Amino acid sequence: MSNAATKPRLKTSAMIASIAGDGQATRAAPFGNALVALARERSDVVGMTADLGKYTDLHIFAQAFPERYYQMGMAEQLLMGAAAGMAHEGALPFVTTYAVFAARRAYDFIHQAIAEDNLNVKIACALPGLTTGYGPSHQAAEDLALFRAMPNLTVIDPCDAVEIEQMVPAMAAHHGPVYARLLRGNVPVVLDEYDYRFELGKAKLLRDGADVLIISSGIMTMRALEVAKTLAHDRIDVGVLHVPTIKPLDTATILREARRSGRLVVVAENHTVIGGLGEAVAAVLLSHGVTPAFRQIGLPDAFLDAGALPTLHDRYGISTQAMADTVKTWLR
């Protein structure tokens, strides 16, 4: 019997399925619950969305603080303009939508109304990169490239539920606008095994390795850790450097780890290879004269297909097995 015949048939729900693996621990709505905890301590926190409260876990906040919840309708530009006004009046708005809508539809409003005035608006956006199978209209494969280019804006790409819970109060403590990628629903729990603490602007070496260093962000850190365990069976020693803050980039830690000789350096990201973490790291290395063997794992410079997420992750090389196979090929 072929491998294809033994695989379970994927249903339409796999287009929006959780990225958690079979049997992997998860936590429900970490962003919504963390925001509720923050709002209990800070009366200035408000939640704002554009008809996507249920789909960005902001409905948890709406249930706890209905008087501090603003549903702006399907109008993302209005959402960002209203958030700017709230910030001008002393509120601390946490704004949610899909990453495609913030990056493409409301970019100019974020740029002019929020970032130019360095306002204290926190934007958290679901469906980053390839975390939905609904095709290019919903896949924000280029959001990091766009938002890295915006002055005053801090950019975060969290790995799991643990980091999201820690990220929310850190976003509030930072003065100025923040864009954060958001994992919603039942979010994997990964970093609890590594005694992890999120620090804005800091990269963290989660595990060391003599043969390969994977520099990653977001869900690709989860995948990188899985790859490290997989390749250990082939006696390939893989280190993983997690870079949750895309801007400002922790250049000192990246340079320290990349300067170690004899290692292949691989940047893995759930984003197009154009303008994201990979190119940011490459620029840092070249500008400091650090030239290890360097490769990128990321999404292609193309409009991505629609379909089931497991199939698409295999197709575009960001599944655990696809990544492990690619790294082994590069080491030959």
Coordinates of all heavy atoms in Angstrom, one line a residue, residues 28 32 52 61 83 101 105 131 137 155 167 173 198 233 238 242 250 254 266 279 297 317 327:
A28 N -6.0 27.5 24.8 CA -7.0 28.2 24.1 C -6.9 29.7 24.2 O -6.8 30.2 25.3 CB -8.4 27.7 24.5
G32 N -6.4 36.6 23.8 CA -7.6 37.1 24.5 C -7.5 37.0 26.0 O -7.8 38.0 26.7
L52 N -14.0 41.1 13.4 CA -13.2 39.8 13.6 C -12.9 39.5 15.0 O -11.9 38.8 15.3 CB -11.9 39.9 12.7 CG -12.1 39.9 11.2 CD1 -10.8 40.2 10.5 CD2 -12.7 38.5 10.8
F61 N -12.0 39.2 25.4 CA -11.9 40.5 26.0 C -13.3 41.2 26.0 O -13.7 41.8 27.0 CB -10.9 41.4 25.3 CG -10.8 42.8 25.8 CD1 -9.9 43.1 26.8 CD2 -11.6 43.8 25.2 CE1 -9.8 44.4 27.2 CE2 -11.5 45.1 25.7 CZ -10.6 45.4 26.7
A83 N -8.4 54.0 16.3 CA -7.4 53.7 17.3 C -6.4 54.8 17.6 O -6.0 55.0 18.7 CB -6.7 52.4 16.9
F101 N -5.4 42.4 6.0 CA -6.1 43.6 6.0 C -5.3 44.8 6.6 O -5.4 45.9 6.1 CB -7.4 43.5 6.8 CG -8.3 42.4 6.2 CD1 -9.2 41.7 7.0 CD2 -8.3 42.2 4.8 CE1 -10.0 40.7 6.5 CE2 -9.2 41.2 4.3 CZ -10.0 40.5 5.1
R105 N -4.7 46.7 3.3 CA -5.9 47.6 3.2 C -5.7 48.8 4.0 O -6.2 49.9 3.7 CB -7.1 46.8 3.6 CG -8.4 47.6 3.3 CD -9.6 46.7 3.5 NE -9.5 45.5 2.6 CZ -10.3 44.4 2.7 NH1 -11.1 44.3 3.7 NH2 -10.2 43.5 1.8
T131 N -0.7 30.5 7.3 CA -1.5 29.8 8.4 C -2.9 29.7 8.1 O -3.7 29.4 9.0 CB -1.3 30.6 9.7 OG1 -1.6 32.0 9.6 CG2 0.2 30.5 10.2
S137 N -5.9 35.9 -1.0 CA -6.7 37.0 -0.4 C -6.6 37.0 1.1 O -6.8 38.0 1.8 CB -8.1 36.8 -0.8 OG -8.7 35.6 -0.2
V155 N 8.1 45.3 15.5 CA 7.5 44.2 14.8 C 7.8 42.9 15.5 O 9.0 42.6 15.7 CB 7.9 44.1 13.3 CG1 7.3 42.9 12.6 CG2 7.6 45.4 12.6
M167 N 4.1 38.2 25.6 CA 4.2 39.3 24.7 C 3.2 40.5 25.0 O 3.6 41.6 24.8 CB 4.0 38.8 23.2 CG 3.9 39.8 22.1 SD 3.4 39.1 20.6 CE 1.7 38.9 20.8
A173 N 3.9 47.7 27.8 CA 5.0 48.4 28.6 C 5.8 49.2 27.6 O 6.5 50.2 28.0 CB 5.9 47.4 29.3
F198 N 10.0 35.9 27.2 CA 10.1 36.9 26.1 C 10.6 38.2 26.6 O 10.2 38.8 27.6 CB 8.6 37.1 25.6 CG 8.6 38.2 24.6 CD1 9.0 38.0 23.3 CD2 8.1 39.5 24.9 CE1 8.9 39.0 22.3 CE2 8.0 40.5 24.0 CZ 8.4 40.3 22.7
H233 N 18.7 12.1 15.0 CA 18.7 10.6 14.7 C 19.8 10.3 13.6 O 20.2 9.2 13.5 CB 17.4 10.1 14.3 CG 16.3 10.2 15.3 ND1 16.4 9.5 16.5 CD2 15.2 11.0 15.4 CE1 15.3 9.8 17.3 NE2 14.6 10.7 16.6
V238 N 21.9 20.3 15.6 CA 21.2 21.5 15.1 C 20.9 22.5 16.3 O 20.3 22.1 17.3 CB 19.9 21.2 14.4 CG1 19.2 22.5 14.0 CG2 20.2 20.3 13.2
H242 N 16.0 31.6 18.3 CA 14.6 32.2 18.2 C 14.7 33.7 18.2 O 15.3 34.3 19.1 CB 13.7 31.7 19.3 CG 12.3 32.2 19.2 ND1 11.6 32.3 18.0 CD2 11.5 32.7 20.2 CE1 10.4 32.9 18.3 NE2 10.3 33.1 19.6
D250 N 17.9 41.9 17.0 CA 19.0 41.7 18.0 C 20.3 41.3 17.3 O 20.7 40.1 17.2 CB 18.6 40.6 19.0 CG 19.6 40.4 20.1 OD1 20.6 41.1 20.1 OD2 19.3 39.6 21.0
I254 N 22.7 37.7 17.1 CA 22.8 37.0 15.8 C 24.3 36.9 15.3 O 24.7 35.9 14.9 CB 21.9 37.8 14.7 CG1 20.5 37.6 15.0 CG2 22.3 37.3 13.3 CD1 19.5 38.5 14.2
V266 N 21.0 28.7 8.7 CA 19.8 28.7 7.9 C 18.8 29.6 8.6 O 18.5 29.5 9.8 CB 19.2 27.2 7.9 CG1 17.9 27.2 7.2 CG2 20.2 26.3 7.3
E279 N 16.4 38.1 4.8 CA 17.2 39.2 4.2 C 17.7 40.2 5.3 O 18.8 40.8 5.1 CB 16.3 40.0 3.2 CG 16.1 39.2 1.9 CD 15.5 40.0 0.8 OE1 15.1 41.2 1.0 OE2 15.4 39.5 -0.3
I297 N 15.1 29.3 4.3 CA 13.8 28.5 4.1 C 12.7 29.5 4.3 O 12.6 30.1 5.4 CB 13.8 27.3 5.1 CG1 14.8 26.3 4.8 CG2 12.4 26.7 5.1 CD1 14.9 25.1 5.8
G317 N 7.7 23.8 1.5 CA 9.0 23.5 2.2 C 9.1 23.9 3.6 O 10.2 24.0 4.1
V327 N 17.6 20.6 4.8 CA 18.9 20.8 5.5 C 19.9 19.7 5.2 O 21.1 19.9 5.0 CB 18.6 21.0 7.0 CG1 19.9 21.0 7.8 CG2 17.8 22.2 7.3

